[in-house]
Amino acid sequence: MNRRQFLASVSAAAVLPLPGFAGQPPLKLKAETVSQQILPEGEGTTAMLGFNGSMPGPEIRLKRGARASIEVENALQEGTAVHWHGIRLENRMDGVPVLTQDLINPGDSKTYSFVPPDAGTYWYHSHYISQEQVARGLMGPLIVEDDAPLDLDHDITVILSDWIIDEDGSLVDEFTDIHSVAHAGYIGNFARGFLSRSEVQQGDRIRLRLINAATNRIFPLSISGVSGSVVALDGMALSQPRAASDLVLAPAQRADLIVDVTGPVGFDMPTRQEPYRLAELSISGENTDRQSGPPPTLAAPDLPAPGAPAQHLTLTMMGGAMGGRHGGANIWSFNDVSDLPQDSFAAIERGETVRITFVNDTAFPHGIHLHGHHFYELAADESLGDLRDTTLVAAGESRDVLCVFDNPGRWLIHCHMLSHAIGGMRTWVEVT
Ligand code: C2O
Ligand code: CU
């Protein structure tokens, strides 16, 4: 078999429900080796890493504004650290080895404690040799619940990823293959979604929380059997709901939809051949009580409004295959510097609004993530666009963003194509 070809679609497979988070505060995550049914039922299982015996890790649900304590126990043979992606938390809880914490060594534990300020869809993942540890399975969903429950029949998480996997189910150890690092990164030959529920009723009104937990794959998505709209991106409610056509999720990005179920729900990735089925929800019966009418609205994000920019920074992505020469010592760089520099890329005073122009001077798309903050994408007419923590910049294009840096500490900026991050596309800013 050509491992570069997709295996059969999962459509015939029983949907594996995500384990619910059974723990009571303080929550506990145990990083350990797990065996998971990634391939369709009846095929081989896959030896991976996970949390509490499962991959993806359990869905953590937190209350907005309430302090959460999550103990991470490391039962692996190697170090680890956990990052709470998209949460605007205290810097020392950000989970970044060297920059914000020491590694959690094998046999050790660390308790992360933070107050999530925003309701929405987030996720957690290893931030140590992350290209490899995330590809091997150290990730899971993190939901910050709305202050008041919305009028919905179900709230369903769909976490997507892909892996290079052999026919017998074993993961292929090509996590840091140099050729893929210089190109689009580790891209799986098998992809699927894990859902927190497997069935819905015809007529249900549901929320879908989509999370792209793949290390490098951009998922274009088409969702059948529903009618509704996108209501949030990267955890933050949109000011106006938006049509769900042309949905694209870069690695680490999330999208929330509120939709009415009109038939069996399919999550498909369009490909040059037939669409590739990632996950589905089957129909069991009909919901005759559901009143139609306008869908519930999410609370607006509560972030400081940007002021006049105190600085205008430019971060130029360089390198990679077909990317030409650059001054960095690794495959990729920002502004001719590869990997984490000793000194921060920029010093920012707490509360400053900063404009950043991300310039993609390479032959590949990059999903650029800023830790500890959300930023506004700026439209061509300079109006404030979506609030994001990860922005996808196509090859040869650029994107301007505006960020109020109100969170003190040392914050990473890196490509969330994790192969590119290990290939050098990482830097950091310091907010004091
Ligand atoms: Cu999703 Cu640096 O992280
Ligand atoms: Cu990249």
Side-chain angles (χ1 to χ4, degrees):
M1 182 195 66
N2 178 359
R3 278 201 267 106
R4 296 293 171 193
Q5 227 95 70
F6 267 124
L7 302 177
S9 157
V10 297
S11 55
V15 177
L16 286 171
L18 271 176
F21 201 80
Q24 289 298 311
L27 309 174
K28 185 155 183 180
L29 287 177
K30 182 178 184 184
E32 58 190 348
T33 55
V34 301
S35 166
Q36 185 64 277
Q37 188 75 49
I38 299 292
L39 294 180
E41 212 60 50
E43 313 236 7
T45 55
T46 303
M48 312 187 78
L49 306 182
F51 291 101
N52 300 6
S54 80
M55 194 305 302
E59 176 167 296
I60 297 177
R61 298 189 77 98
L62 302 179
K63 299 226 174 312
R64 192 186 77 84
R67 181 161 293 276
S69 288
I70 305 172
E71 183 186 349
V72 175
E73 179 190 341
N74 183 1
L76 307 171
Q77 305 296 322
E78 60 200 44
T80 197
V82 178
H83 171 58
W84 316 94
H85 183 112
I87 304 283
R88 301 185 298 128
L89 42 55
E90 293 148 68
N91 190 242
R92 65 199 176 90
M93 296 298 160
D94 200 36
V96 181
V98 183
L99 209 58
T100 71
Q101 70 164 83
D102 296 329
L103 272 186
I104 311 170
N105 287 314
D108 287 355
S109 296
K110 175 181 169 72
T111 298
Y112 292 90
S113 165
F114 56 87
V115 179
D118 312 296
T121 303
Y122 302 90
W123 65 299
Y124 59 93
H125 62 82
S126 161
H127 217 295
Y128 173 61
I129 47 171
S130 52
Q131 163 50 35
E132 176 169 345
Q133 287 197 345
V134 176
R136 291 173 71 195
L138 288 182
M139 53 85 166
L142 173 57
I143 308 302
V144 183
E145 291 175 342
D146 299 296
D147 292 355
L150 304 179
D151 178 22
L152 296 167
D153 297 302
H154 299 292
D155 184 330
I156 302 173
T157 301
V158 185
I159 187 162
L160 305 167
S161 194
D162 69 341
W163 308 268
I164 304 177
I165 211 165
D166 262 332
E167 263 176 333
D168 65 358
S170 46
L171 273 187
V172 178
D173 184 357
E174 286 177 8
F175 305 113
T176 53
D177 169 71
I178 289 294
H179 181 269
S180 74
V181 168
H183 290 76
Y186 170 103
I187 299 281
N189 61 350
F190 188 77
R192 66 172 295 168
F194 292 85
L195 291 88
S196 56
R197 175 178 187 92
S198 56
E199 302 180 329
V200 287
Q201 290 191 313
Q202 179 92 18
D204 274 350
R205 178 164 280 172
I206 60 176
R207 178 176 189 164
L208 296 171
R209 300 176 182 267
L210 309 172
I211 302 169
N212 183 356
T215 49
N216 293 274
R217 178 183 290 280
I218 300 170
F219 280 104
L221 274 182
S222 93
I223 307 173
S224 54
V226 297
S227 123
S229 43
V230 179
V231 295
L233 293 173
D234 289 359
M236 298 290 173
L238 297 175
S239 48
Q240 276 306 321
R242 190 173 302 164
S245 48
D246 303 319
L247 197 57
V248 174
L249 291 182
Q253 289 187 325
R254 289 88 63 211
D256 287 43
L257 285 76
I258 293 180
V259 295
D260 293 329
V261 174
T262 59
V265 183
F267 299 84
D268 294 298
M269 169 169 58
T271 70
R272 256 173 262 145
Q273 290 97 41
E274 317 141 42
Y276 184 86
R277 173 115 330 167
L278 295 161
E280 54 193 24
L281 281 163
S282 58
I283 295 289
S284 67
E286 189 172 355
N287 181 347
T288 49
D289 303 331
R290 169 58 55 189
Q291 310 286 318
S292 59
T297 47
L298 302 180
D302 184 16
L303 274 78
Q311 307 190 46
H312 186 170
L313 306 172
T314 300
L315 260 192
T316 303
M317 299 154 230
M318 302 173 165
M322 300 164 285
R325 294 152 69 98
H326 65 101
N330 203 337
I331 294 171
W332 300 93
S333 71
F334 278 128
N335 296 1
D336 281 314
V337 178
S338 293
D339 301 308
L340 272 203
Q342 193 66 36
D343 296 325
S344 67
F345 158 67
I348 298 168
E349 231 170 89
R350 182 176 187 180
E352 267 181 16
T353 296
V354 175
R355 180 179 185 132
I356 307 177
T357 304
F358 294 114
V359 179
N360 185 346
D361 193 14
T362 79
F364 293 88
H366 302 285
I368 304 298
H369 173 46
L370 165 67
H371 281 220
H373 300 80
H374 274 64
F375 50 79
Y376 288 95
E377 294 180 337
L378 285 180
D381 67 358
E382 300 278 299
S383 61
L384 296 183
D386 299 331
L387 261 177
R388 305 223 65 145
D389 59 49
T390 304
T391 186
L392 180 60
V393 189
E397 296 195 354
S398 68
R399 165 137 320 108
D400 282 65
V401 307
L402 219 48
C403 182
V404 181
F405 281 91
D406 61 342
N407 199 354
R410 309 165 132 215
W411 301 107
L412 280 185
I413 300 177
H414 64 90
C415 181
H416 220 291
M417 277 82 168
L418 296 176
S419 298
H420 297 166
I422 54 154
M425 203 180 279
R426 294 180 285 143
T427 191
W428 62 291
V429 296
E430 180 147 36
V431 181
T432 50

